[in-house]
Amino acid sequence: MRWSLCLALGLGVLACAAGSARAQATAETAAKLKAAFEAWMPSGENLAPAESEYLMSRLGFQSIGSWRVEPDGDGYRITMPGIRTQIFDGFGQDRFRFFIICDPDQMRATPGEGGRYVLTGDAALNCRFQVPGATPSPITARRRQTSGSVDLRDPAVIEVSTTLDQMKMGDDGAATQLRIERLTLAGNRRAVADGRSDLRSTFVLKGVSLQLKDGFGPLNADKIVYEVGVEAIDMPAMTNAATVLAKRFGSGTASADAAGDPAIRALQDAYADGLPTRSHMTVTANGLGAATPAATVTIDSLALG
């Protein structure tokens, strides 16, 4: 009996050890996770200011830094690139144009049910907004929570959602200041044929108050929902082509007859080939109020698409 008990205990220890080994993160899975994220939002390269502006004109955003996915116990430590996004560029005046800049961020992926990996993150917000010609102002939030999942099965699917409570852009008394009671940012990526992706992003803002300079504002809204989706986009191809073009045109190294340069034409074709086959955008707002030096407007509900 003692022999059989020892054998049973020994087999149990071996089984537990084998299960623990299988649960350990691997470099192979880390590489697969990184590839899925790169297809969603490719890593960025260091660019000079003029090159960065050209890239922004093509893509509307710039990745800062690279994706890193590293095995960490039974999960994966994920470092995502920072991002610079142009929020608004209208009327040809800098006062209506500003950027949001966020430093590289951290998440963690752990194995979940059905082969999915669960994403979590609660790192402090490290973003700022900048109006051209002004010093960047910090973006703060009292609470931040990130959640989501990655499914590497074919087709690969990524879903990420971040909620920010009591968010504020701009210091008290600043000429431009934005307050949002709750901001939820949700995005997902679904792999489709030929390395392309279907992408969807949704931004839900509740309790919005925006004060602008020169007497514009405040702009108030009970709720704003912005949704954008694209189908069969090749983000890596577009980003790579736009980055090389930015280095040529932003640095001034492009020839005077660039339109006839085969290398430039090939890059432009690569960029165009990466564009989505279909896209849509909708904005809805409720309880909207706006003020300018000339008028005040209130709107119960507004929808654009």
Side-chain angles (χ1 to χ4, degrees):
M1 181 176 292
R2 179 178 297 177
W3 175 85
S4 60
L5 178 61
C6 291
L7 178 60
L9 289 174
L11 290 175
V13 170
L14 289 174
C16 290
S20 175
R22 285 196 301 270
Q24 292 299 301
T26 66
E28 180 182 5
T29 300
K32 291 179 179 179
L33 288 167
K34 182 176 185 294
F37 286 120
E38 288 279 6
W40 181 32
M41 186 181 75
S43 297
E45 297 186 25
N46 293 327
L47 298 176
E51 297 169 350
S52 176
E53 288 302 315
Y54 182 91
L55 184 67
M56 294 291 292
S57 72
R58 287 283 182 170
L59 299 179
F61 72 92
Q62 175 188 358
S63 293
I64 303 170
S66 302
W67 284 97
R68 294 202 308 273
V69 181
E70 302 164 293
D72 182 22
D74 64 346
Y76 300 86
R77 184 171 58 253
I78 301 169
T79 301
M80 56 193 303
I83 190 168
R84 178 173 179 252
T85 305
Q86 181 172 279
I87 297 301
F88 193 74
D89 185 12
F91 312 115
Q93 300 180 40
D94 281 346
R95 68 184 179 189
F96 292 105
R97 182 177 185 236
F98 63 93
F99 301 91
I100 290 181
I101 306 162
C102 293
D103 292 337
D105 204 354
Q106 298 282 337
M107 291 190 298
R108 180 172 172 80
T110 54
E113 296 181 357
R116 294 162 65 96
Y117 292 83
V118 178
L119 300 175
T120 56
D122 58 3
L125 186 67
N126 195 1
C127 300
R128 53 205 174 274
F129 84 100
Q130 182 174 23
V131 177
T135 302
S137 298
I139 301 174
T140 60
R142 178 161 295 183
R143 178 179 177 273
R144 178 196 184 198
Q145 190 67 41
T146 297
S147 61
S149 64
V150 181
D151 190 337
L152 296 177
R153 294 172 296 183
D154 189 22
V157 177
I158 299 175
E159 297 178 340
V160 180
S161 177
T162 296
T163 298
L164 303 170
D165 288 320
Q166 297 185 28
M167 195 180 90
K168 183 175 73 172
M169 299 183 189
D171 299 321
D172 292 337
T176 300
Q177 187 180 80
L178 173 65
R179 292 179 180 271
I180 303 172
E181 286 300 313
R182 169 164 285 192
L183 170 62
T184 302
L185 307 93
N188 64 66
R189 178 248 173 179
R190 180 178 182 274
V192 294
D194 302 323
R196 293 176 175 264
S197 304
D198 290 344
L199 306 179
R200 182 183 297 271
S201 297
T202 304
F203 302 80
V204 180
L205 301 80
K206 296 181 178 180
V208 180
S209 177
L210 174 62
Q211 179 66 55
L212 299 171
K213 61 182 180 179
D214 298 334
F216 288 84
L219 168 65
N220 298 309
D222 294 336
K223 183 178 181 180
I224 299 175
V225 179
Y226 171 80
E227 184 180 73
V228 60
V230 294
E231 297 179 13
I233 189 172
D234 190 337
M235 282 300 298
M238 287 182 61
T239 302
N240 292 339
T243 301
V244 178
L245 286 168
K247 292 179 179 180
R248 296 287 295 270
F249 286 100
S251 63
T253 59
S255 60
D257 58 341
D261 186 332
I264 295 293
R265 183 59 181 270
L267 288 168
Q268 292 172 333
D269 288 345
Y271 173 84
D273 289 343
L275 289 169
T277 56
R278 297 181 64 187
S279 62
H280 76 271
M281 179 275 293
T282 60
V283 179
T284 59
N286 299 102
L288 187 65
T292 73
T296 298
V297 179
T298 58
I299 302 173
D300 288 335
S301 62
L302 172 70
L304 304 171

